[in-house]
Amino acid sequence: MIIRVMTLFPQMFDATLGSSILQRGRDKGLLDIACINIRDYSESRHKKVDDYPYGGGAGMVMTPQPIFDCHAAIKDELKCETKPRTIYLSPKGQTFNQQLATELANEKELIFICGHYEGVDQRVVDELVTDEISIGDYVLTGGEIPAMVIIDAVSRLIPGVLSQEESYQEESFYSGLLEYPHYTRPAEYKGLKVPDVLLSGNHKNIDGWRRKKSLKITMERRPDLMETVELSKTDIKLIAEIKNEI
Ligand code: SAM
């Protein structure tokens, strides 16, 4: 997947995109990610990228010219024949979730526009943007951290980025449920024991225990998810057991 990030602060991405699984995905040639400084495209003498809002009010607005030109340069570089999927990070956007991450992971290329100050001139959104995405109901200083969140969540879904052992299929949300708890060595620590079933070597029992824990934690913490998840006959039996145990 090709990812281009339009930002005023490219250096913010160095640690995130250059470490761990994302760097490995880049090393394997599965992720081609570059951050482009919008300021480099400013035609103003002092490389200005913001201005006062028409109509007055607090804060500054990112001007359209550097963003349009930066976006056009990326389209040229990627030889886009159609409008590329262009995401503007915005608290006003659709809330990001695992389903949207899965959908975005199927794209060949993604362009991210990171806002700052009060955000970008609306003409940028109207002309260039295909998706406005929020990472939650709160306001951050800029779109850089939201872009990193989305790039991380999307990249790990691209086949080959995660190793077999790191597979995401059982993780929270992917199956519609929250994930079961994990334990590792030692089997006893400060008198706290790992559940016997996990030491039993009986994989059928382990799978059953994990599924029940998944259902229980989802029922307790995110009952909204239970409304859409597909339940098997065994799940229904496990749910009855959970309810009896309360
Ligand atoms: N004036 C904007 C509003 O009230 O909706 C907030 C602007 S915010 C200070 C600056 C930039 O941070 C936004 O343009 C956006 O790119 C980014 N941003 C802030 N909160 C965000 C969120 N929850 N999700 C995605 N992007 C966010």
Side-chain angles (χ1 to χ4, degrees):
M1 172 181 274
I2 298 174
I3 295 173
R4 295 290 177 263
V5 184
M6 297 169 52
T7 169
L8 293 175
F9 300 95
Q11 70 279 10
M12 282 180 72
F13 290 83
D14 292 348
T16 314
L17 303 182
S19 324
S20 183
I21 288 167
L22 290 185
Q23 181 59 50
R24 213 171 58 201
R26 297 171 86 183
D27 291 342
K28 285 186 188 170
L30 298 168
L31 296 170
D32 167 358
I33 313 181
C35 299
I36 296 106
N37 196 335
I38 296 170
R39 196 177 294 280
D40 291 344
Y41 290 85
S42 172
E43 283 175 351
S44 88
R45 200 147 51 95
H46 298 293
K47 294 279 176 204
K48 217 169 125 58
V49 289
D50 60 335
D51 215 326
Y52 294 99
Y54 276 124
M60 302 293 272
V61 177
M62 286 174 73
T63 54
Q65 177 274 314
I67 302 178
F68 270 77
D69 287 357
C70 181
H71 191 263
I74 293 171
K75 269 173 61 181
D76 281 352
E77 186 230 334
L78 303 184
K79 300 186 174 49
C80 298
E81 279 162 16
T82 52
K83 193 171 176 172
R85 192 108 187 225
T86 301
I87 296 162
Y88 173 50
L89 291 317
S90 162
K92 292 182 276 190
Q94 169 187 9
T95 308
F96 187 60
N97 60 19
Q98 192 66 33
Q99 202 184 338
L100 187 49
T102 308
E103 192 210 314
L104 294 175
N106 289 316
E107 292 289 335
K108 212 172 108 245
E109 57 217 4
L110 292 176
I111 300 175
F112 290 87
I113 302 178
C114 304
H116 248 270
Y117 320 118
E118 288 307 316
V120 298
D121 184 289
Q122 184 59 30
R123 288 164 289 189
V124 168
V125 179
D126 295 342
E127 287 300 309
L128 308 181
V129 170
T130 56
D131 304 72
E132 274 188 83
I133 303 181
S134 163
I135 61 159
D137 291 348
Y138 39 79
V139 176
L140 298 161
T141 312
E144 284 74 15
I145 292 171
M148 289 184 230
V149 167
I150 297 174
I151 292 168
D152 187 299
V154 169
S155 298
R156 64 204 308 284
L157 299 178
I158 294 167
V161 169
L162 290 185
S163 63
Q164 200 83 33
E165 303 84 64
E166 294 164 336
S167 106
Y168 53 79
Q169 275 86 349
E170 288 199 9
E171 285 182 324
S172 296
F173 304 112
Y174 192 84
S175 67
L177 295 176
L178 302 180
E179 201 188 37
Y180 50 81
H182 295 282
Y183 294 88
T184 185
R185 272 179 252 273
E188 186 174 337
Y189 179 70
K190 290 184 188 279
L192 304 166
K193 289 186 176 158
V194 170
D196 287 339
V197 63
L198 298 179
L199 309 174
S200 68
N202 182 328
H203 288 286
K204 194 164 167 260
N205 288 351
I206 292 171
D207 289 347
W209 181 88
R210 285 180 167 164
R211 186 71 186 174
K212 190 170 170 183
K213 286 286 181 192
S214 246
L215 288 163
K216 185 165 188 274
I217 200 167
T218 310
M219 286 161 68
E220 286 167 355
R221 295 186 187 178
R222 292 292 304 275
D224 57 307
L225 296 178
M226 295 300 293
E227 283 161 29
T228 49
V229 75
E230 254 184 67
L231 297 172
S232 66
K233 275 191 187 152
T234 318
D235 288 335
I236 293 165
K237 240 179 76 194
L238 291 171
I239 290 171
E241 278 178 33
I242 293 166
K243 286 184 175 159
N244 273 335
E245 286 162 11
I246 295 171

